Amino acid sequence: MADVTDVTGVADAVGLTDVPDVPDVHGVSGVSGVPVDGSTALASEYFQSYSVIGLLALIGVLFVAVAFGAGRLLRPVVPTPEKLLTYECGVDPVGEGWAHTQVRYYVYAFLYVIFAVDSIFLFPWATVFAAPGYGATTLVEMFIFLGFLAVGLLYAWKKGVLAWA
């Protein structure tokens, strides 16, 4: 393949007299920015940025592996019957391992998550409400949103979910 970095020789051979001088930018040379020999240089620069990310990920994995390995090698291993007992929250295990959990605790958690997400929705709404031209629309949308919340809360109250027994 002929070297086209010298544009004047090609221009003279073809008969052109006004060919602009195109600078070599990141391995791309030639007329009108057409890649001649530098496409591999551009690809290597592109993948070099990913190699830095890969190297950092590898260093992170190695750091965690070395820390766990050092902990395994340095800790004392003296198993006793007391250490092998099941232990939870400072209470000795009594009875069988299966315990019944009432569903209402999950319902309380679910209601909390719903209202936490809804409160997070209020912050972007407040910023859009303050923008000129969006006040009435966002106010109507917020009342519809709060209406859905009120219907859900009313439904939970009518079902007796909110009554602590």
Side-chain angles (χ1 to χ4, degrees):
M1 179 175 206
D3 185 23
V4 239
T5 55
D6 183 19
V7 184
T8 55
V10 175
D12 290 340
V14 176
L16 298 173
T17 56
D18 269 346
V19 176
D21 187 22
V22 179
D24 183 16
V25 180
H26 297 295
V28 177
S29 56
V31 180
S32 303
V34 176
V36 175
D37 238 26
S39 61
T40 57
L42 287 176
S44 69
E45 283 182 24
Y46 177 75
F47 287 117
Q48 183 179 4
S49 61
Y50 281 112
S51 66
V52 170
I53 293 172
L55 182 65
L56 284 175
L58 181 67
I59 289 172
V61 167
L62 285 175
F63 180 75
V64 170
V66 166
F68 276 116
R72 186 177 183 110
L73 291 174
L74 297 176
R75 71 177 179 219
V77 181
V78 183
T80 61
E82 291 83 19
K83 287 184 180 180
L84 296 177
L85 279 177
T86 305
Y87 178 81
E88 183 177 348
C89 300
V91 179
D92 291 330
V94 177
E96 57 186 75
W98 185 261
H100 297 284
T101 304
Q102 294 192 12
V103 176
R104 69 173 178 220
Y105 298 119
Y106 295 109
V107 174
Y108 288 126
F110 185 64
L111 287 173
Y112 170 75
V113 168
I114 288 174
F115 285 105
V117 168
D118 297 336
S119 65
I120 290 171
F121 178 71
L122 292 175
F123 291 109
W125 173 79
T127 58
V128 171
F129 182 70
Y134 290 106
T137 305
T138 56
L139 188 64
V140 170
E141 288 175 354
M142 183 50 68
F143 277 120
I144 291 171
F145 178 72
L146 290 175
F148 279 123
L149 287 180
V151 167
L153 190 60
L154 182 65
Y155 177 77
W157 180 57
K158 288 283 188 183
K159 286 291 189 176
V161 172
L162 301 178
W164 187 268

